[in-house]
Amino acid sequence: MGTRSLTKIIERYKGEEKILTTMYRQYDGYPSGHGYELSEWLDKFTIVNGIGVGEEMLVANGASCLAAQMFAHFKDGPGGIYLYDPYTHDVGELYLYKIYIEHGADIYIEAWDTYELEPIFKGTPKEFIKMIKTKEHA
C-alpha cells in the first residue's frame, strides 16, 4: 500500500487565490519522500512574468507554467502520478502539499497531515529541505 498525497498549485493575485491543479501521487507521499523531492525541485525556480532572451536560470512564467513543469518532472510513465480536478480531496491521501505562487514573492509551501488536520510545515522550499535534513540527523 502506498503513502498517497495531493499537491495543489495555488496562484495568488491581488489578494485572491485560485487552485490551478491537483497532482495525486500514489506512493512515497510522506514529507521525507515527495515533500522533500518537491521542495528540492521548487527551490531551483524563479517565478517570472515573461521570459527574457537567453534566460540562464530555471524559471516558470507564472503559476500555470510551474504546474505544467511539475507534471513533466514527476510523471515518468504509466501510474504513480495523476492529474486531478483542482478541488479534489478525500481520495485516501495522507499528506497534502499546497504550493503558493505569487509574482514577485518566494514560492511558499504548506504541508498538511490530513489525518491530524493540521499543518506540519509552512515556509519556503529551502526551509522545508532544512527541516527534513535536521530530522534525519536528529
Side-chain angles (χ1 to χ4, degrees), residues 18-33:
K18 179 180 179 184
I19 302 171
L20 299 179
T21 192
T22 296
M23 182 175 77
Y24 172 82
R25 185 166 178 167
Q26 182 73 36
Y27 53 86
D28 295 337
Y30 45 88
S32 61

Side-chain angles (χ1 to χ4, degrees), residues 70-128:
M70 178 180 70
F71 280 98
H73 175 77
F74 284 99
K75 185 72 173 167
D76 61 359
I81 300 289
Y82 299 88
L83 172 62
Y84 275 26
D85 177 89
Y87 297 96
T88 297
H89 64 285
D90 296 332
V91 290
E93 72 275 9
L94 296 172
Y95 296 98
L96 169 64
Y97 301 94
K98 296 179 179 181
I99 311 304
Y100 292 94
I101 308 299
E102 184 173 2
H103 180 67
D106 288 336
I107 295 173
Y108 185 81
I109 300 173
E110 287 184 5
W112 290 74
D113 178 321
T114 61
Y115 286 111
E116 298 296 326
L117 298 175
E118 61 183 33
I120 55 176
F121 176 82
K122 291 182 178 185
T124 66
K126 190 174 298 307
E127 292 167 340
F128 191 94

Side-chain angles (χ1 to χ4, degrees), residues 56 82 119 130:
E56 297 278 330
Y82 299 88
K130 184 177 179 181

